Amino acid sequence: NKEKALQVLRARIYDMMRQEEEAKYAGERKSKVGTGDRSERIRTYNFPQSRVTDHRIGLTVHKLDQVMNGEIEEIISALTLAEQAEMMDKGV
């Protein structure tokens, strides 16, 4: 009887630990993946106005044709500067 009780207890503890791990993994994955909602957009391409907007840093460039041809140095530079400023603010 005691062995059976210990076996049931071990099974319950194992199940509880497994559920905690799954919940932790699901939470991490959800934070990385996001919901796919429009409010999580990174960049908007507006063809009628030849405009590209990067919503992470608030940069708007009116050179859509150049960006589509791969000339994205201006956007990369702005993102790099924003990242460096963020790191300085955090004290890293």
Side-chain angles (χ1 to χ4, degrees):
N1 220 7
K2 183 178 177 183
E3 281 185 34
K4 193 170 187 174
L6 287 174
Q7 218 173 17
V8 169
L9 182 60
R10 267 192 228 107
R12 286 182 182 168
I13 291 173
Y14 173 76
D15 189 46
M16 187 174 66
M17 290 172 59
R18 187 180 51 80
Q19 286 178 358
E20 286 176 8
E21 286 295 318
E22 286 177 4
K24 181 180 168 185
Y25 175 75
E28 288 176 11
R29 185 175 188 287
K30 187 173 182 177
S31 71
K32 290 178 185 176
V33 172
T35 63
D37 189 29
R38 281 183 68 112
S39 65
E40 293 181 346
R41 66 182 175 244
I42 293 174
R43 204 170 291 121
T44 300
Y45 300 89
N46 186 311
F47 288 91
Q49 297 177 359
S50 185
R51 182 182 68 204
V52 179
T53 302
D54 193 302
H55 299 283
R56 296 172 290 183
I57 58 173
L59 174 72
T60 299
V61 180
H62 292 274
K63 302 175 183 178
L64 180 62
D65 53 340
Q66 294 172 357
V67 170
M68 296 304 282
N69 286 327
E71 298 174 29
I72 58 172
E73 293 82 18
E74 185 176 350
I75 295 172
I76 292 173
S77 297
L79 286 167
T80 303
L81 286 173
E83 182 182 21
Q84 290 173 351
E86 183 181 329
M87 291 176 95
M88 288 180 68
D89 288 344
K90 290 181 179 179
V92 174

